[in-house]
Amino acid sequence: CAKAARDVCVLLNAVVHVDAHGVMNVINRHALGSGDVVADVGVPLHQQRQPISDLYRASVSVTGRSASGEINEIQGDSGDSARRLEISSALVSTPGMALACAVSSLSFVSQIREQRNVRVLDDGTPISVLDHVTLDGRDWLVYKLETDLKDETHDLVLLELAP
């Protein structure tokens, strides 16, 4: 089931979120820039900043397979393979699907300004993946979340997206 969800999300340029009740939501990444801030995460116990040069992708390559052979579409700077996001999906079966996936994915990854991996205290405020939070007076998207119930902390991967 997880592989099927991954393949669907790759094709749709989406993120899958499974809640505590096992309900799966598929949300297009273009919708991630919207939403109200739900909490301020406070002062991190630990944080690591990812340089934008590590995150920035100048191009996206999408591969799949049709009845006549392999499909590959590249969007963006085709000469910069060192900063290329490689996507492969069994569901990509036409050049049009590959192109749409590449265009949509490049549109999203080019929005990322900064990524921070932080550990914060769990103050009881409910935080979920895809929520918006503030840190250092700036708005961030919660991209990944792990909660340690024993230590009462959250490990978050936060993305700052261009408006």
Side-chain angles (χ1 to χ4, degrees), residues 61-74 87-89 91-99:
S61 172
V62 176
T63 57
R65 180 160 294 283
S66 71
S68 59
E70 186 173 287
I71 299 165
N72 187 306
E73 290 289 336
I74 297 174
I87 297 173
S88 178
S89 173
L91 297 179
V92 174
S93 59
T94 67
M97 290 173 78
L99 180 62

Side-chain angles (χ1 to χ4, degrees), residues 35-42 44 47-52 55 111-118 131-142 156 158-163:
D36 295 329
V37 172
V38 297
D40 181 273
V41 295
Q47 72 176 316
Q48 176 187 9
R49 293 180 179 188
Q50 292 263 172
I52 195 70
L55 300 171
Q111 289 183 60
I112 300 171
R113 288 185 175 170
E114 185 178 344
Q115 175 179 316
R116 287 198 198 174
N117 301 337
V118 299
D131 279 348
H132 289 261
V133 296
T134 56
L135 173 67
D136 297 335
R138 294 166 33 203
D139 291 347
W140 299 82
L141 174 76
V142 178
L156 305 167
L158 303 175
L159 299 179
E160 182 183 32
L161 304 177

Side-chain angles (χ1 to χ4, degrees), residues 26-112:
V26 176
I27 302 168
N28 188 285
R29 290 183 177 167
H30 290 290
L32 299 180
S34 58
D36 295 329
V37 172
V38 297
D40 181 273
V41 295
V43 178
L45 302 171
H46 170 76
Q47 72 176 316
Q48 176 187 9
R49 293 180 179 188
Q50 292 263 172
I52 195 70
S53 59
D54 289 353
L55 300 171
Y56 177 73
R57 298 292 181 238
S59 63
V60 174
S61 172
V62 176
T63 57
R65 180 160 294 283
S66 71
S68 59
E70 186 173 287
I71 299 165
N72 187 306
E73 290 289 336
I74 297 174
Q75 282 295 299
D77 183 358
S78 60
D80 192 358
S81 62
R83 297 188 337 183
R84 179 172 298 143
L85 174 63
E86 303 280 343
I87 297 173
S88 178
S89 173
L91 297 179
V92 174
S93 59
T94 67
M97 290 173 78
L99 180 62
C101 182
V103 168
S104 181
S105 296
L106 182 63
S107 174
F108 175 74
V109 296
S110 63
Q111 289 183 60
I112 300 171

